[in-house]
């Protein structure tokens, strides 16, 4: 490997932990809505989990039509509950580990669990969403909570839509959807070691 490539790779590797869980200081000098909007895309753990929810819902919808709205809606609803819990109580034990587990489990579920009943998929998504919400609430510093929440809800819905679009476009290509879900799951596994 050339020295320039080696230094570039080392620099990117050094940034990986901050990209995986880039949470703190969301409203320092910023507007609450924009901070909320950027929070889910500021950490790779949030981004991958939310895209995976959409992907899983799309793949489930080939058998269960209501999965398209039921799974993402349950995620958003419990994320908001978790947000207000985190806002009042602060972070709870194992929040980051639960978020990493959400990427692992939902990614692998999108790849391999396409026959799961919608109710079970919704419960799984909602349980993990609670921890995403707790992280959002615990890490909010100042500003209007409702405006911040509106931002991250919109961003989350957009990420779910990305996953849904990807899943619907590729639902016939089992190899590609399994590869994508497995890659997301493996990324979640890697978050336990960062």
């Amino acid at each position: 490997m050339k020295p320039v490539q080696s230094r570039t790779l080392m620099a990117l590797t050094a940034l990986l932990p901050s990209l995986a869980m880039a949470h703190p200081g969301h409203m320092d000098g910023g507007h609450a809505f924009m901070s909320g909007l950027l929070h889910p895309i500021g950490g790779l753990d949030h981004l991958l989990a939310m895209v995976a929810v959409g992907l899983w819902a799309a793949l489930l919808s080939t058998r269960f039509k209501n999965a398209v709205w039921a799974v993402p809606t349950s995620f958003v609803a419990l994320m908001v509950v978790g947000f207000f819990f985190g806002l009042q109580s602060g972070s709870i034990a194992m929040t980051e580990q639960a978020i990493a587990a959400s990427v692992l489990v939902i990614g692998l579920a999108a790849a391999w669990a396409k026959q799961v009943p919608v109710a079970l998929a919704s419960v799984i998504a909602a349980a993990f969403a609670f921890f995403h919400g707790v992280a959002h609430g615990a890490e909010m510093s100042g500003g209007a909570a409702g405006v911040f929440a509106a931002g991250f809800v919109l961003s989350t819905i957009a990420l779910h839509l990305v996953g849904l679009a990807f899943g619907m476009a590729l639902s016939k290509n089992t190899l590609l959807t399994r590869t994508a879900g497995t890659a997301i799951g493996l990324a979640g596994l890697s978050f336990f070691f960062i």
Side-chain angles (χ1 to χ4, degrees), residues 53 57 66-79 122 125-126 129 157 160:
V53 166
N66 63 335
V68 169
W69 62 266
V71 178
T73 301
S74 67
F75 188 97
V76 171
L78 261 289
M79 183 181 62
S122 296
I157 291 169
H160 288 335

Side-chain angles (χ1 to χ4, degrees), residues 121-132:
S122 296
V123 167
I124 291 168
F128 285 124
F130 178 80
F131 291 97
H132 284 268

Side-chain angles (χ1 to χ4, degrees), residues 59-126:
L59 298 174
L60 287 171
S61 75
T62 60
R63 184 169 175 165
F64 310 104
K65 297 299 178 199
N66 63 335
V68 169
W69 62 266
V71 178
T73 301
S74 67
F75 188 97
V76 171
L78 261 289
M79 183 181 62
V80 171
V81 170
F83 169 72
F84 286 106
F85 181 87
L87 196 62
Q88 296 301 314
S89 305
S91 188
I92 58 177
M94 307 294 283
T95 297
E96 291 301 329
Q97 291 82 357
I99 291 171
S102 75
V103 179
L104 172 65
V105 171
I106 297 172
L108 292 178
W112 302 98
K114 298 174 187 168
Q115 305 300 318
V116 173
V118 173
L120 179 58
S122 296
V123 167
I124 291 168

Side-chain angles (χ1 to χ4, degrees), residues 1-171:
M1 183 177 286
K2 295 179 183 177
V4 172
Q5 291 173 328
S6 177
R7 284 191 297 265
T8 303
L9 183 59
M10 286 179 11
L12 290 174
T13 303
L15 291 174
L16 187 58
S18 63
L19 290 174
M21 296 174 194
H23 299 159
H26 296 294
M27 293 203 292
D28 298 341
H31 184 268
F33 179 76
M34 284 305 294
S35 294
L37 196 64
L38 294 173
H39 188 235
I41 60 176
L44 193 55
D45 52 352
H46 290 306
L47 187 144
L48 288 176
M50 293 168 189
V51 169
V53 166
L55 177 63
W56 194 22
L59 298 174
L60 287 171
S61 75
T62 60
R63 184 169 175 165
F64 310 104
K65 297 299 178 199
N66 63 335
V68 169
W69 62 266
V71 178
T73 301
S74 67
F75 188 97
V76 171
L78 261 289
M79 183 181 62
V80 171
V81 170
F83 169 72
F84 286 106
F85 181 87
L87 196 62
Q88 296 301 314
S89 305
S91 188
I92 58 177
M94 307 294 283
T95 297
E96 291 301 329
Q97 291 82 357
I99 291 171
S102 75
V103 179
L104 172 65
V105 171
I106 297 172
L108 292 178
W112 302 98
K114 298 174 187 168
Q115 305 300 318
V116 173
V118 173
L120 179 58
S122 296
V123 167
I124 291 168
F128 285 124
F130 178 80
F131 291 97
H132 284 268
V134 168
H136 294 330
E139 295 158 358
M140 191 184 108
S141 56
V147 176
F148 181 79
F152 75 72
V153 165
L154 286 176
S155 190
T156 298
I157 291 169
L159 291 169
H160 288 335
L161 290 173
V162 167
L164 280 166
F166 182 72
M168 288 181 173
L170 302 173
S171 63

